[in-house]
Amino acid sequence: MYHYCRTLVILKVKYKIIKTNPTFHKRNKHKSGYDLDVLCEKYPDLLPFVFKNKYETKTIDFANPKAVKALNTALLFKYYDIKFWEFSDSNLCPPIPGRVDYIHHLSDLIRKSEIKEDITILDVGVGATCIYPILGHAEYDWHFVGTDIDENSLQFTQKIINENELEAAISLRHQKDTSQIFKGILNKNDKFAASICNPPFYKSEAEALEATTRKLKGLNREVDATVRNFSGTHHELWYNGGEKAFLHNYLYESSLFKEQCHWFTTLVSKKDLVKGMYSSLKKLGATDIKTLNMGQGNKISRIVAWTFLEK
């Protein structure tokens, strides 16, 4: 899911203004863009969606959900040793470059914390695509436990795990209580290097559709707002009370399992929420809190990470 906001660094050099955009993590394989010819060779189903724009540059229609899904499938096939990635068209199709950036920044955090062996990550809201476990295992050989409230999504994810022979690296747990995050999922013997989470950003379907309309206008497309270019079910896109409510529930429940996860982390789409998160986490007893900024083309996103452990 993309949320666009432009952040430009302006440098004055001999009367010339040079604008530079934020960049992907240095280990991100996609920081220089896509080679569509190579991707089409690896995944021929992408080929029908490729065309030349008015600048004679090969591209795809990023307002077309099927084109977006084909592109991201091709990236997984080419760069992450995946041979099967199928899920319902109604489910959110994650953009691989942004998702793997989270993985790389999390790796830096784990490395600096000197966590070196038996790294297991808890993916809160693994969804139907298994994307973070796929990327984290491919890039760093991590193990994952993925949780979700949607049994249909877990069925798709389990098939992806099975078809790619990842059963030894990835396991799944069903969260039966939609109001809980860690309760009913974690047991006293669980130990994780970190949790990872891409929370629902909206309060309602109406708010999600409004955001889609703005995005489509940015793509200069007049498309039905109910057709999202990255798709997404209501469990994936909205939560009662929105992102703020979800995050504060996440923060509170993390304080109930202080010793079972070294770092709790989450994406935060709205920068204005970060200050309140810091305030709440200090009250809950967090011993360290970090904000990891991620530059991705023409947008900035951020990860907030916290721990209750002593240094």
Side-chain angles (χ1 to χ4, degrees):
M1 187 185 311
Y2 284 98
H3 297 270
Y4 295 92
C5 62
R6 293 188 176 275
T7 303
L8 301 177
V9 180
I10 302 178
L11 303 174
K12 293 183 178 179
V13 183
K14 293 183 179 181
Y15 307 107
K16 292 183 179 180
I17 296 178
I18 301 173
K19 298 180 179 180
T20 61
N21 287 327
T23 58
F24 285 109
H25 191 282
K26 63 183 180 182
R27 292 194 297 277
N28 194 315
K29 295 181 174 72
H30 318 295
K31 62 181 182 291
S32 299
Y34 309 122
D35 186 330
L36 290 174
D37 290 333
V38 169
L39 292 175
C40 287
E41 183 177 349
K42 185 66 177 181
Y43 186 67
D45 288 356
L46 174 62
L47 188 58
F49 300 107
V50 176
F51 64 94
K52 286 187 177 181
N53 60 20
K54 62 181 179 181
Y55 304 107
E56 292 298 305
T57 301
K58 287 186 177 180
T59 187
I60 67 165
D61 179 1
F62 283 93
N64 181 342
K66 292 186 181 297
V68 169
K69 190 172 183 178
L71 172 63
N72 285 283
T73 302
L75 291 172
L76 288 176
F77 279 37
K78 174 62 181 176
Y79 297 106
Y80 301 100
D81 197 28
I82 293 299
K83 59 186 180 183
F84 176 89
W85 198 56
E86 294 290 340
F87 51 92
S88 169
D89 288 340
S90 65
N91 285 109
L92 179 70
C93 179
I96 304 306
R99 296 296 190 264
V100 79
D101 232 46
Y102 191 162
I103 293 293
H104 289 310
H105 283 281
L106 184 61
S107 173
D108 290 343
L109 180 64
I110 290 172
R111 178 176 50 80
K112 290 176 182 176
S113 302
E114 299 184 354
I115 306 170
K116 298 177 181 178
E117 296 180 357
D118 299 325
I119 293 176
T120 301
I121 308 297
L122 179 67
D123 184 359
V124 178
V126 65
T129 65
C130 198
I131 194 58
Y132 286 126
I134 285 173
L135 297 173
H137 182 67
E139 293 290 75
Y140 298 105
D141 201 29
W142 293 342
H143 286 67
F144 280 81
V145 173
T147 75
D148 209 285
I149 61 175
D150 189 333
E151 289 186 276
N152 289 330
S153 290
L154 290 175
Q155 289 176 8
F156 283 113
T157 290
Q158 188 62 60
K159 185 169 178 59
I160 290 170
I161 292 169
N162 296 344
E163 293 292 331
N164 291 289
E165 301 178 352
L166 294 171
E167 296 93 337
I170 306 167
S171 62
L172 303 176
R173 299 180 189 178
H174 179 221
Q175 173 56 273
K176 297 177 182 179
D177 188 340
T178 59
S179 67
Q180 307 293 350
I181 296 175
F182 298 114
K183 291 179 182 178
I185 286 293
L186 297 186
N187 61 63
K188 63 181 181 181
N189 296 319
D190 283 327
K191 296 291 183 182
F192 297 98
S195 69
I196 194 168
C197 182
N198 184 21
F201 294 147
Y202 306 111
K203 295 179 182 179
S204 64
E205 182 178 17
E207 188 177 48
L209 293 178
E210 182 181 348
T212 299
T213 300
R214 290 195 302 269
K215 185 189 301 183
L216 293 174
K217 286 181 179 179
L219 293 170
N220 296 317
R221 290 293 302 271
E222 294 183 3
V223 181
D224 183 352
T226 60
V227 179
R228 288 178 284 271
N229 60 337
F230 285 89
S231 300
T233 66
H234 71 279
H235 291 306
E236 296 167 326
L237 296 179
W238 61 89
Y239 180 85
N240 187 24
E243 182 183 18
K244 182 177 181 180
F246 179 91
L247 288 175
H248 281 278
N249 190 21
Y250 187 46
L251 305 187
Y252 170 70
E253 286 203 22
S254 72
S255 72
L256 304 179
F257 299 91
K258 296 179 179 181
E259 296 185 358
Q260 290 172 261
C261 196
H262 192 119
W263 287 103
F264 295 91
T265 79
T266 183
L267 283 175
V268 181
S269 72
K270 298 181 178 67
K271 183 180 179 181
D272 294 344
L273 296 177
V274 174
K275 183 178 180 181
M277 291 177 66
Y278 269 62
S279 177
S280 295
L281 284 166
K282 288 175 183 178
K283 292 176 182 177
L284 291 168
T287 57
D288 196 5
I289 313 168
K290 301 179 184 293
T291 299
L292 313 175
N293 290 317
M294 300 193 299
Q296 300 175 6
N298 65 343
K299 74 162 187 170
I300 280 282
S301 59
R302 64 207 55 80
I303 303 164
V304 174
W306 64 97
T307 185
F308 297 98
L309 303 181
E310 297 296 333
K311 291 184 180 180

